[in-house]
Structure formats: C-alpha cells, structure tokens
Amino acid sequence: MNPSAAASPSLLAADAGAIVRRLSRCVGDGELDSPAEMYRVLGALRLLADDLTQLLPALQGRLEDGLLAGRVVCPGADAVAATWATVGEVGRALAHARTVALLMTKELENSQVALRDLATP
C-alpha cells in the first residue's frame, strides 16, 4: 500500500512544505552547482507552481460545497451571515493566491528560458 494514498490532505501539504524547505537548504549549502541542474530545478518548481494554480480553486470548491451542505458554519448569533462572509473572504484570498501562483509560474518559466543557453553544454 502506498503510504501517501492514506495520508490526509493536511499531511500531504506539510510533506510538500518540508520538501521545499529541504530543497532550500540544499541550494543554500551549495549543492546546486551547475546551470543545467538549476534549469531542471526551475522547471520542477514551475510545475509545482502550476499545480498550485489547479489546487487553489479546488480548495475553494470544497469549502463552498461544505457551506452548501451545511457542514461549514461559524459559531455565534449571526452564524449564517458570518459563515457566508468568511467563505467569501477565503474565496477572495484564494483567488488572489492563484493569481500570484500564475505569475510565479510564468516568471519561473522566464527564468528557465533565460538560463537555457548556460544550461546546454
């Protein structure tokens, strides 16, 4: 059985963050020593950023599904209005994050293209 298949979404996200921090340490420690390797790293990071642009709307969709199904409710006297306001606020923030991820994807692609000549032998 694949251990990742049984992991919760929050654990998978934590694992992804740990891997990015490990990559950052590798780069900081000088383990990235060639333009070709940097080109490959930029390409992988571009794919990661692109994957995030797909994930963020899915997260919002799950939150909205939970709201409509009655599983997402803010506590308090004005629970309905507060819940809708909060879900709307989360939606705006996730839409902004998606825009930033799209920009990051494009800039990583631009970096990779600029590095192409140095990365080829």
Side-chain angles (χ1 to χ4, degrees), residues 26-111:
C26 286
V27 171
D29 291 344
E31 293 183 36
L32 182 68
D33 60 356
S34 74
E37 180 66 7
M38 183 179 288
Y39 182 87
R40 289 188 292 272
V41 168
L42 289 171
L45 290 174
R46 180 179 53 80
L47 291 174
L48 174 62
D50 188 53
D51 289 343
L52 284 173
T53 67
Q54 306 304 315
L55 173 61
L56 296 173
L59 289 172
Q60 179 62 20
R62 297 299 300 158
L63 184 61
E64 290 170 358
D65 289 347
L67 173 67
L68 295 174
R71 294 186 310 270
V72 176
V73 179
C74 286
D78 196 12
V80 173
T83 302
W84 280 87
T86 300
V87 170
E89 185 178 336
V90 171
R92 286 185 293 280
L94 287 173
H96 179 71
R98 184 171 188 265
T99 299
V100 171
L102 285 167
L103 290 170
M104 182 184 297
T105 300
K106 184 60 180 163
E107 291 306 321
L108 287 167
E109 180 183 8
N110 291 342
S111 298

